[in-house]
Amino acid sequence: MPEEQVDGRRRVVIESLSPQIDYGRFAIKRVVGETVVVEATVFADGHDQVACQLLYWRENDEAVQSSPMIPVGNDRWRGEFPVLNVGRYEYTIEGWIDRFKTWRGDLIKRIDAGQDVHIDLLIGAQIIQDVAARATGEDADLLRRCVHRLRDKNDNESRKNAALDVELLNAVQRYPERHLVTQHEKRLAVVVDREKARFSTWYEVFPRSCSPESGRHGTLRDCEAKLPYIASMGFDVVYLPPIHPIGHTFRKGKNNSVSAQPDDVGSPWAIGSEEGGHTSIHPELGTQEDFKKFISSANGYGLEVALDIAFQCTPDHPYVKQHPEWFRTRPDGTIQYSENPPKLYQDIFPLDFESPEWHALWIELKDVVLFWIKQGVRIFRVDNPHTKPFSFWEWLIKEIKEKYPEVLFLAEAFTRPHVMYRLAKIGFSQSYTYFAWRNTKQELTDYFNELTQTELREYFRSNLWPNTPDILPEFLQVGGRPAFMIRFILAATLGASYGIYGPAFELCENAPYQSGSEEYLNSEKYELKHRDLDSAWSLKDLIARINRIRKQNLALQSDRNLRFHSTDNPSLICYSKANEDLSNIIIVVVNLDSIHAQAGWIDLDLNSLGLDAAHSFEVHDLLGEGRYLWQGARNYVELLPESLPAHILQVRRWVRTETDFDYYL
Amino acid sequence: MPEEQVDGRRRVVIESLSPQIDYGRFAIKRVVGETVVVEATVFADGHDQVACQLLYWRENDEAVQSSPMIPVGNDRWRGEFPVLNVGRYEYTIEGWIDRFKTWRGDLIKRIDAGQDVHIDLLIGAQIIQDVAARATGEDADLLRRCVHRLRDKNDNESRKNAALDVELLNAVQRYPERHLVTQHEKRLAVVVDREKARFSTWYEVFPRSCSPESGRHGTLRDCEAKLPYIASMGFDVVYLPPIHPIGHTFRKGKNNSVSAQPDDVGSPWAIGSEEGGHTSIHPELGTQEDFKKFISSANGYGLEVALDIAFQCTPDHPYVKQHPEWFRTRPDGTIQYSENPPKLYQDIFPLDFESPEWHALWIELKDVVLFWIKQGVRIFRVDNPHTKPFSFWEWLIKEIKEKYPEVLFLAEAFTRPHVMYRLAKIGFSQSYTYFAWRNTKQELTDYFNELTQTELREYFRSNLWPNTPDILPEFLQVGGRPAFMIRFILAATLGASYGIYGPAFELCENAPYQSGSEEYLNSEKYELKHRDLDSAWSLKDLIARINRIRKQNLALQSDRNLRFHSTDNPSLICYSKANEDLSNIIIVVVNLDSIHAQAGWIDLDLNSLGLDAAHSFEVHDLLGEGRYLWQGARNYVELLPESLPAHILQVRRWVRTETDFDYYL
């Protein structure tokens, strides 16, 4: 027996709804003002025409809105809806047999074949009468008049005309029948973030190195004084490593030595001392008041402050005494320190997420985040999220964003791909990437095609870092100043979001701790630094220029639009970004060789750029100021690592109008 | 607050479990004796080692069995289980943190680094003690002894040896901890059919054309007399078009003319007359007794009988009077006939699946199928299933197979791809394909790669027909006898299941109704045929030979193993099939040109065939009897359409053993 509750007459089926992540288990991501383009395969048995529509609503909002879907071939249908507010939206689609359209399409064929359509017109009258019952106002009148005309036995020509009237068609479509409708079995979610989730420019700085005097521990106030410098380079996020009290038990000395000297300052990631834990500020940096002032001052410069969340404790952290149940105890009664055997990190106690008291631990850690939100922080860079359970982060981020949907989380997970992608799925707004280790044309092309042209783009937002305090890539170690220029240009143009660890980056600091290591020599992680920010060697002007270009060109503020173009030289990489209406097109060509000049021919995919081979177009190098007249796909470039390792070309097209030649962007 | 019912300590996540169709909405398909290879991405936060296992059980069977899974790289794990019985199985996987393996792996690193492992050995003792509590017999003793040794403070070397003992490792693995286990959220289904679902050889024949005398209406007994002929060609399914009473109202005449002559026999698909409907036999064909005898006789020849299910009625069908509610009524009170405007099929009334009485209709149609099952039919060829709702078929097939899991359904849907694939998803055991219209190397390669190398192979089992009573493809119309040979060889070697509409096929009947039409001239659908089956022109010997080759070579009895190889001539297509252990390898090369001899070089993917470039191998042409010594990927072939349009090569390898050269298959 058919199950009673199922109406076997629902004939429309809906398959392969996209986008959806793991069959709706996770939300896709968008930012405010974007649209969600939804596709599905929708069909029914037989020859009847189907119709479908997209349904969407803000989460917890009763008002369901609908949007039409149109067929795009092979039973695929497409619709879209805008996301205008930060928060969560949901969407699904529904389909039904379109009786009117089926009837109308068949009627045209019958009339064309010269068949008697007397009965068919009566069938149509019945369908339209049903629509009229749902219609209101003028539409209802129009429909009723039409029913009357279709039933008029005396005037066959007039009946046919009435049936095929486009106004009738339009009126009927305003009252979809939705008879025996099939709704897709899943409601899919979109997390809508503010624009910064997609387009952001980060600068990491250690406040304690911001002292104007060499040798003195810098403070938040010193760091505040550097804000104009940071802002002048065009950054919009200033990210501080942990600002909490630093433990002294097993403190690491300079260059990560196991025995610290009395004046060694320790690592900011060794959190917790008698002076407090994750909600305290290291006394040498200043007070909560200083921090609030820092935030407010940063905001004045157009900078947001991102704080580090590193959920780990030193042996001196208050939690160790207050909540020993949150740590794992060894058979000798000591607390288990961090390890990645054979490496031991005796200065760090990991939190035990398998503790029977996991529940209280989760609440406490959420309270830490809420504490800093109350101080004004809206962006968190999360340290090693992949060493805490995925379920914890999923819960934490959902809880926080329910109340503060504007909060963003950057996942600092440098680990296996599936782990990194899972963190993005469960809610991290942005993610560090493997960019630091992708140097060749093939490596960059493969990786960025994966990030921007596969399903990943629905939930994994990359944030590209050419360096971090933990990563001085080999390419930067060996390639001199041009290597820093090249990697910076790649980060800032391949990624709508990128960041640098400064001032180490702009000053081109490139000495590794030892050969084969990616650690910095005399790393700022373990000691204070004092630097000359006005060095002629500094890349600050290049950085400022490129950040200006990013702000002025919408094309560079998104990653979905990335497209690679062929070149005949393996050291030359060429890619473009364009905004949706192609009014802003940027073509970037980078010489990946930091030593030699490289020249060659690029081969543009003109179609993707809306250019035609028959007309020339001007490209204006926003970086080098040159202007070149190009035509067709194949064009020549020559790039010198020392002076001009890249072109950032804006396409300008001449078009002929009726009266004149117009110059437009 | 974290949800109380969720244990936040479950750290393992499971993603991308395959195979699964539409996230488990539909079952995958297998036949008895096959294995299901299951893969999933399984990982956890941090550095702990994970473990996972495959769980499977027969539907409605309490006994869950498990099967180990092993890592295959990049966090993917693989396991497999056998399906030994016809019916439904279910499977899922579960994963957990492997505390013992994590501890053991870390211990090895610590010992290698010369670290003090005193405490670590105590930690291990605790883990092993927990395992011992679950263990029984000798294992429990071994584990307890090990705990004791690990806690022995006096002998560190012995403790280390005890910890790393492989016997300990093996014993522990027999008692998986499954602490805080994560089970995949879906139970996935497998429909297991008998072998014929995968490997079958069909012959379609009109019983009414089986009379030995020209002009007389053939009977089931006449058809029975042809069974030795059919069996001699090596077929194992004999498929009969509908055998029910044929309507007379609006009966179609010869060549589908709208006005039948009094002696016109009508189309077997115009089902129903005063003499009965879907459970009756056309009196001119014989009786139910004759049919039962036909089945039993066929079985004696190794043939199964497939019956046609065509759920449609003539105006004379008993349903029309008994159940007018199952048909749609037009405004003039008449019943709606079939249409595909502007084409009208006034001799056919479609059943109205949107009838308020749909429920009773479903039950009735199921009873029709059950009726024929009771007569001994176990295979149904379903006519135009795509013109009835998917939900109906899904229900019907599930209901039937619950009681008769050995029953097979072939979907005769020639329509859009998503519709055809949906029918396979919802349960049809086999499906007609676009094979009849795929002629060129590119067309065949693309299509068969889609069918056999994508997810389709999990649920869409193709049955290849070079012709049907409705389809005389252009290639056969214009290519003469060689065209029939080529298309037959392709069908029988590309597809583990194929069928021909005979004797029209083996006699190379190739006259179309008119130019540009795929209908046969004087189609058997509307008139009786009388043929000389012993014509020298007949392909029956070729057919018999190839069906013998199919039976003798396991490689040809499956489709998953199909692989195309390059050739340098667009008229030469080359592909191979091999069984799993590569003990049976068949390489097929077909000349797609029915007019000209074609020669060229093929370029084998040696790796897929387990062949190495350094050693020569013999290929034995099972069709042409030739033997060739080949070496490496590149080998020459020459094929003549009239005499030898194809090679069906069995690979034989010489291998050198220690004592001699051995010849093996």
Side-chain angles (χ1 to χ4, degrees):
Chain A
M1 288 256 301
E3 289 170 53
E4 294 295 340
Q5 69 273 30
V6 172
D7 190 332
R9 297 175 300 164
R10 297 185 196 283
R11 293 168 47 206
V12 173
V13 299
I14 301 172
E15 291 187 340
S16 307
L17 204 169
S18 75
Q20 59 173 315
I21 310 305
D22 294 0
Y23 204 67
R25 165 74 177 80
F26 302 104
I28 62 163
K29 298 193 178 103
R30 290 291 185 274
V31 306
V32 166
E34 289 183 334
T35 53
V36 179
V37 177
V38 178
E39 281 196 9
T41 309
V42 184
F43 54 90
D45 60 279
H47 305 293
D48 291 343
Q49 292 194 40
V50 302
C52 56
Q53 67 180 358
L54 178 53
L55 304 178
Y56 63 99
W57 58 95
R58 293 187 66 180
E59 202 183 54
N60 307 323
D61 188 340
E62 293 296 301
V64 174
Q65 293 183 274
S66 67
S67 180
M69 297 188 79
I70 56 162
V72 294
N74 195 19
D75 290 317
R76 288 292 278 176
W77 292 71
R78 185 183 296 150
E80 63 178 55
F81 67 96
V83 285
L84 304 173
N85 299 89
V86 168
R88 287 173 77 96
Y89 282 70
E90 293 188 318
Y91 60 99
T92 193
I93 74 171
E94 57 178 26
W96 62 92
I97 301 285
D98 191 326
R99 276 205 298 160
F100 180 80
K101 271 203 169 169
T102 301
W103 168 80
R104 189 177 190 274
D106 288 353
L107 184 70
I108 291 170
K109 291 180 200 155
R110 294 178 215 276
I111 291 171
D112 288 350
Q115 293 174 358
D116 174 13
V117 294
H118 169 68
I119 305 283
D120 301 289
L121 292 168
L122 294 179
I123 292 173
Q126 184 58 52
I127 295 171
I128 298 161
Q129 186 170 309
D130 293 347
V131 180
R134 295 192 300 276
T136 52
E138 285 185 25
D139 282 334
D141 296 343
L142 183 150
L143 292 164
R144 270 187 225 105
R145 273 200 311 278
C146 185
V147 171
H148 192 74
R149 281 177 69 192
L150 288 183
R151 286 178 175 158
D152 176 359
K153 296 196 178 141
N154 298 319
D155 186 353
N156 252 323
E157 276 318 298
S158 152
R159 290 172 74 198
K160 288 183 200 170
N161 291 340
L164 301 181
D165 184 4
V166 174
E167 270 192 57
L168 169 64
L169 176 64
N170 293 338
V172 170
Q173 292 197 307
R174 283 191 283 275
Y175 305 92
E177 183 176 40
R178 305 177 58 254
H179 176 58
L180 296 172
V181 73
T182 300
Q183 193 171 104
H184 188 260
E185 64 273 21
K186 278 273 174 183
R187 296 166 157 224
L188 301 159
V190 195
V191 166
V192 182
D193 289 310
R194 57 202 173 99
E195 204 191 357
K196 190 150 280 171
R198 188 188 65 201
F199 174 53
S200 59
T201 313
W202 293 51
Y203 189 83
E204 174 172 5
V205 62
F206 284 67
R208 70 185 183 186
S209 291
C210 289
S211 159
E213 306 142 46
S214 173
R216 173 166 77 68
H217 194 289
T219 65
L220 287 167
R221 281 168 183 263
D222 294 331
C223 193
E224 193 181 332
K226 300 293 185 200
L227 290 171
Y229 165 76
I230 298 169
S232 74
M233 287 186 284
F235 291 97
D236 57 22
V237 179
V238 55
Y239 149 49
L240 309 182
I243 55 173
H244 316 303
I246 294 172
H248 46 78
T249 304
F250 291 110
R251 174 178 287 190
K252 296 289 168 70
K254 291 191 177 67
N255 284 309
N256 201 23
S257 64
V258 289
S259 51
Q261 300 304 309
D263 61 341
D264 276 342
V265 289
S267 162
W269 283 275
I271 296 171
S273 78
E274 292 75 4
E275 288 153 329
H278 283 78
T279 53
S280 303
I281 291 179
H282 190 30
E284 292 208 61
L285 286 175
T287 64
Q288 297 282 2
E289 275 317 300
D290 292 339
F291 183 63
K292 278 196 194 168
K293 187 154 169 299
F294 179 80
I295 289 185
S296 133
S297 180
N299 293 351
Y301 286 107
L303 284 159
E304 269 195 75
V305 176
L307 217 58
D308 199 297
I309 290 281
F311 283 143
Q312 56 193 17
C313 304
T314 71
D316 314 312
H317 195 291
Y319 287 164
V320 177
K321 278 193 188 130
Q322 292 162 13
H323 294 286
E325 71 277 11
W326 290 347
F327 301 89
R328 192 168 290 179
T329 306
R330 286 152 56 95
D332 62 351
T334 61
I335 290 180
Q336 180 65 57
Y337 44 81
S338 276
E339 302 180 291
N340 189 4
K343 289 192 222 158
L344 314 175
Y345 308 98
Q346 282 139 320
D347 57 330
I348 297 292
F349 287 173
L351 291 158
D352 178 16
F353 284 86
E354 288 189 356
S355 158
E357 299 304 316
W358 62 275
H359 195 142
L361 173 62
W362 285 24
I363 302 288
E364 170 67 21
L365 299 180
K366 188 178 88 170
D367 284 345
V368 168
V369 177
L370 287 173
F371 176 88
W372 293 108
I373 288 173
K374 289 203 179 84
Q375 313 313 309
V377 179
R378 289 295 179 276
I379 307 183
F380 296 93
R381 176 271 194 193
V382 179
D383 190 75
N384 282 334
H386 59 294
T387 60
K388 291 96 196 169
F390 301 102
S391 52
F392 163 69
W393 292 120
E394 186 169 16
W395 168 82
L396 176 86
I397 294 170
K398 193 148 191 273
E399 289 275 307
I400 296 293
K401 289 183 77 94
E402 247 165 45
K403 213 162 162 193
Y404 303 97
E406 73 278 19
V407 172
L408 304 179
F409 294 88
L410 166 63
E412 186 251 6
F414 291 110
T415 178
R416 292 152 10 245
H418 289 299
V419 178
M420 294 179 63
Y421 298 154
R422 179 82 179 191
L423 290 165
K425 285 181 188 176
I426 61 174
F428 279 91
S429 326
Q430 293 189 346
S431 306
Y432 281 71
T433 69
Y434 302 144
F435 169 69
W437 305 283
R438 297 293 180 270
N439 292 301
T440 67
K441 179 160 80 170
Q442 191 67 48
E443 286 170 352
L444 288 163
T445 306
D446 289 349
Y447 188 49
F448 282 90
N449 275 334
E450 180 182 341
L451 293 181
T452 66
Q453 304 306 313
T454 70
E455 189 195 70
L456 278 174
R457 70 190 198 170
E458 303 295 346
Y459 62 88
F460 186 89
R461 293 199 193 101
S462 47
N463 190 328
L464 312 183
W465 291 71
N467 75 331
T468 78
D470 300 316
I471 306 167
L472 173 63
E474 201 174 6
F475 187 83
L476 297 181
Q477 294 177 27
V478 302
R481 195 169 180 271
F484 282 80
M485 293 166 71
I486 289 166
R487 296 298 296 177
F488 180 80
I489 292 166
L490 288 170
T493 57
L494 281 170
S497 289
Y498 81 92
I500 57 170
Y501 152 51
F505 189 87
E506 68 263 29
L507 298 180
C508 305
E509 293 178 5
N510 69 348
Y513 170 60
Q514 60 186 30
S515 168
S517 163
E518 289 186 335
E519 287 289 339
Y520 277 89
L521 178 65
N522 304 324
S523 168
E524 193 163 5
K525 288 190 285 186
Y526 311 106
E527 61 189 274
L528 306 180
K529 287 279 171 185
H530 187 74
R531 298 171 173 112
D532 173 14
L533 301 181
D534 293 322
S535 157
W537 191 245
S538 172
L539 294 177
K540 65 184 188 331
D541 293 340
L542 176 79
I543 292 170
R545 178 172 201 112
I546 288 176
N547 281 336
R548 215 156 40 235
I549 294 171
R550 283 164 51 88
K551 282 199 184 107
Q552 287 166 355
N553 288 278
L554 274 175
L556 293 173
Q557 298 172 15
S558 171
D559 286 336
R560 296 187 150 234
N561 53 4
L562 178 67
R563 183 174 299 269
F564 289 93
H565 303 270
S566 303
T567 73
D568 64 358
N569 178 337
S571 291
L572 292 179
I573 191 167
C574 177
Y575 48 91
S576 65
K577 288 188 165 187
N579 65 348
E580 215 155 307
D581 66 5
L582 300 181
S583 63
N584 180 231
I585 302 176
I586 298 291
I587 298 170
V588 181
V589 192
V590 183
N591 176 1
L592 298 173
D593 181 343
S594 60
I595 313 293
H596 309 97
Q598 295 285 352
W601 292 86
I602 63 169
D603 202 354
L604 297 172
D605 173 2
L606 292 178
N607 202 36
S608 71
L609 303 174
L611 297 170
D612 72 294
H615 293 90
S616 60
F617 53 95
E618 188 189 290
V619 290
H620 174 201
D621 188 354
L622 304 176
L623 193 58
E625 292 292 11
R627 289 170 187 270
Y628 311 91
L629 198 62
W630 281 6
Q631 181 173 347
R634 210 163 157 76
N635 295 284
Y636 182 79
V637 293
E638 196 176 316
L639 293 164
L640 312 173
E642 295 286 346
S643 55
L644 186 70
H647 290 312
I648 301 179
L649 302 163
Q650 188 185 14
V651 174
R652 296 175 193 272
R653 279 176 292 191
W654 289 88
V655 285
R656 185 171 195 170
T657 64
E658 277 167 40
T659 53
D660 205 340
F661 285 93
D662 268 7
Y663 188 75
Y664 85 95
L665 192 69
Chain B
M1 288 258 300
E3 288 171 55
E4 294 295 340
Q5 69 273 31
V6 172
D7 190 331
R9 297 175 301 163
R10 296 185 198 281
R11 294 166 46 207
V12 172
V13 300
I14 301 171
E15 291 187 339
S16 306
L17 204 169
S18 75
Q20 58 174 315
I21 310 306
D22 293 2
Y23 204 68
R25 164 76 176 78
F26 302 104
I28 62 163
K29 297 193 179 103
R30 290 292 184 275
V31 306
V32 166
E34 289 183 334
T35 54
V36 180
V37 177
V38 178
E39 280 196 8
T41 309
V42 184
F43 53 90
D45 61 279
H47 305 292
D48 291 344
Q49 292 193 42
V50 301
C52 55
Q53 66 180 358
L54 179 53
L55 303 179
Y56 63 100
W57 58 95
R58 293 187 67 180
E59 201 182 56
N60 307 323
D61 188 339
E62 293 294 302
V64 173
Q65 294 183 272
S66 68
S67 181
M69 298 188 78
I70 56 163
V72 294
N74 195 19
D75 290 317
R76 287 293 278 177
W77 291 71
R78 184 183 297 149
E80 62 178 56
F81 67 96
V83 284
L84 303 174
N85 299 88
V86 167
R88 287 174 76 97
Y89 283 70
E90 292 189 318
Y91 60 100
T92 193
I93 74 169
E94 58 179 26
W96 61 93
I97 300 286
D98 191 327
R99 274 206 299 159
F100 179 80
K101 270 204 171 170
T102 301
W103 169 79
R104 188 177 189 275
D106 288 352
L107 185 70
I108 291 169
K109 289 181 202 156
R110 292 180 216 275
I111 291 172
D112 288 350
Q115 292 174 359
D116 174 12
V117 294
H118 169 68
I119 305 282
D120 301 289
L121 292 169
L122 295 179
I123 292 173
Q126 184 58 52
I127 295 171
I128 298 161
Q129 186 170 309
D130 293 348
V131 181
R134 294 192 299 277
T136 52
E138 283 184 28
D139 284 333
D141 296 341
L142 184 150
L143 293 165
R144 269 188 226 106
R145 273 199 312 278
C146 184
V147 171
H148 192 71
R149 282 177 69 191
L150 289 182
R151 285 179 176 158
D152 176 358
K153 294 197 179 142
N154 298 319
D155 186 354
N156 252 322
E157 276 316 300
S158 152
R159 292 171 74 197
K160 286 183 201 171
N161 291 339
L164 300 181
D165 185 6
V166 174
E167 271 192 56
L168 168 65
L169 175 65
N170 292 338
V172 170
Q173 292 198 307
R174 283 191 282 274
Y175 305 92
E177 182 175 42
R178 305 178 58 252
H179 175 59
L180 297 172
V181 72
T182 301
Q183 193 170 106
H184 189 260
E185 65 272 22
K186 278 274 174 184
R187 297 165 157 226
L188 303 159
V190 195
V191 166
V192 181
D193 288 310
R194 57 201 172 102
E195 205 192 355
K196 191 149 278 171
R198 187 189 65 200
F199 174 54
S200 59
T201 313
W202 293 50
Y203 189 83
E204 174 172 5
V205 63
F206 283 67
R208 71 185 183 187
S209 291
C210 290
S211 160
E213 308 142 46
S214 173
R216 173 167 76 69
H217 194 288
T219 65
L220 286 168
R221 281 166 184 265
D222 295 329
C223 194
E224 193 182 331
K226 301 291 185 201
L227 289 171
Y229 166 76
I230 298 170
S232 73
M233 287 187 283
F235 291 97
D236 57 22
V237 179
V238 55
Y239 149 50
L240 309 182
I243 56 174
H244 316 301
I246 294 172
H248 46 78
T249 305
F250 293 112
R251 175 179 285 190
K252 296 289 168 70
K254 291 193 178 67
N255 285 307
N256 201 22
S257 66
V258 289
S259 51
Q261 300 305 308
D263 60 342
D264 277 340
V265 288
S267 161
W269 284 273
I271 296 171
S273 77
E274 292 75 3
E275 290 153 327
H278 282 79
T279 52
S280 303
I281 292 180
H282 189 31
E284 293 208 60
L285 286 175
T287 65
Q288 296 284 1
E289 274 317 299
D290 293 338
F291 183 63
K292 278 195 194 167
K293 188 155 170 298
F294 179 79
I295 288 186
S296 133
S297 181
N299 293 350
Y301 287 107
L303 284 159
E304 270 194 75
V305 176
L307 218 58
D308 199 296
I309 291 281
F311 283 142
Q312 56 193 16
C313 305
T314 70
D316 314 312
H317 195 290
Y319 287 163
V320 177
K321 280 194 185 127
Q322 292 162 13
H323 294 285
E325 71 277 12
W326 292 345
F327 302 88
R328 193 168 287 180
T329 306
R330 286 152 54 96
D332 62 352
T334 61
I335 291 181
Q336 180 65 58
Y337 45 80
S338 276
E339 303 179 291
N340 188 5
K343 289 190 223 158
L344 315 175
Y345 307 97
Q346 281 140 318
D347 56 332
I348 298 293
F349 287 173
L351 291 158
D352 179 15
F353 284 86
E354 287 188 356
S355 157
E357 298 306 317
W358 62 275
H359 195 142
L361 173 62
W362 285 23
I363 302 288
E364 169 67 20
L365 298 180
K366 186 178 88 170
D367 285 344
V368 169
V369 177
L370 286 173
F371 175 88
W372 293 108
I373 288 174
K374 288 201 182 84
Q375 312 314 308
V377 178
R378 289 294 180 276
I379 306 183
F380 296 93
R381 176 269 196 195
V382 179
D383 191 76
N384 282 335
H386 59 293
T387 60
K388 291 95 195 169
F390 301 101
S391 52
F392 164 68
W393 292 119
E394 185 170 16
W395 168 83
L396 177 85
I397 294 171
K398 193 148 190 273
E399 290 274 309
I400 296 292
K401 287 182 79 92
E402 247 165 46
K403 212 163 161 191
Y404 302 97
E406 73 278 19
V407 171
L408 303 179
F409 294 88
L410 166 63
E412 188 249 7
F414 292 109
T415 178
R416 295 159 357 252
H418 290 298
V419 177
M420 293 179 63
Y421 298 154
R422 178 83 178 189
L423 290 165
K425 284 182 189 176
I426 61 174
F428 279 91
S429 325
Q430 294 190 345
S431 306
Y432 281 70
T433 69
Y434 301 144
F435 169 69
W437 306 281
R438 297 293 179 271
N439 293 301
T440 67
K441 178 159 80 170
Q442 190 67 48
E443 285 170 353
L444 288 163
T445 305
D446 288 350
Y447 187 49
F448 282 91
N449 274 334
E450 181 182 341
L451 293 181
T452 66
Q453 304 306 312
T454 70
E455 189 194 70
L456 278 174
R457 68 189 200 171
E458 302 296 346
Y459 62 89
F460 186 89
R461 293 200 193 98
S462 47
N463 190 329
L464 312 183
W465 291 70
N467 75 329
T468 78
D470 300 317
I471 307 167
L472 172 64
E474 200 174 7
F475 188 83
L476 297 181
Q477 295 177 26
V478 303
R481 195 169 179 270
F484 283 79
M485 293 165 72
I486 290 167
R487 296 298 294 176
F488 180 80
I489 293 166
L490 287 171
T493 57
L494 280 170
S497 290
Y498 81 93
I500 57 171
Y501 151 53
F505 189 87
E506 68 263 29
L507 297 179
C508 305
E509 293 178 4
N510 69 348
Y513 171 61
Q514 59 186 30
S515 169
S517 163
E518 289 185 337
E519 288 287 340
Y520 278 89
L521 178 65
N522 304 324
S523 169
E524 192 163 5
K525 288 190 287 186
Y526 312 105
E527 60 190 273
L528 306 180
K529 287 281 172 185
H530 187 73
R531 297 170 172 114
D532 173 14
L533 300 180
D534 295 319
S535 157
W537 192 245
S538 172
L539 294 177
K540 65 182 186 332
D541 294 338
L542 176 78
I543 292 171
R545 178 174 203 111
I546 288 176
N547 281 336
R548 216 156 40 234
I549 294 171
R550 283 164 50 87
K551 281 197 184 109
Q552 287 166 353
N553 288 277
L554 275 174
L556 293 173
Q557 299 172 15
S558 171
D559 287 335
R560 296 188 149 232
N561 54 3
L562 178 66
R563 183 174 301 270
F564 289 93
H565 303 269
S566 302
T567 74
D568 64 358
N569 179 336
S571 289
L572 290 179
I573 191 166
C574 176
Y575 48 91
S576 66
K577 287 189 166 187
N579 65 346
E580 216 156 307
D581 66 6
L582 300 182
S583 62
N584 181 230
I585 303 175
I586 299 291
I587 298 170
V588 181
V589 193
V590 183
N591 177 1
L592 299 172
D593 181 343
S594 60
I595 314 293
H596 308 98
Q598 293 286 353
W601 293 86
I602 62 168
D603 201 354
L604 297 172
D605 173 1
L606 291 180
N607 202 36
S608 71
L609 303 174
L611 297 171
D612 71 294
H615 293 90
S616 61
F617 53 96
E618 189 189 288
V619 291
H620 174 201
D621 188 354
L622 304 176
L623 194 57
E625 291 293 11
R627 288 170 189 270
Y628 311 91
L629 197 64
W630 280 8
Q631 181 174 346
R634 210 161 157 76
N635 295 283
Y636 182 78
V637 292
E638 196 175 316
L639 294 164
L640 312 173
E642 294 286 345
S643 55
L644 185 71
H647 289 312
I648 301 179
L649 303 163
Q650 188 184 16
V651 174
R652 296 175 193 269
R653 279 175 292 191
W654 289 88
V655 284
R656 185 172 194 168
T657 64
E658 277 165 41
T659 53
D660 206 340
F661 284 93
D662 268 8
Y663 188 77
Y664 84 94
L665 193 67

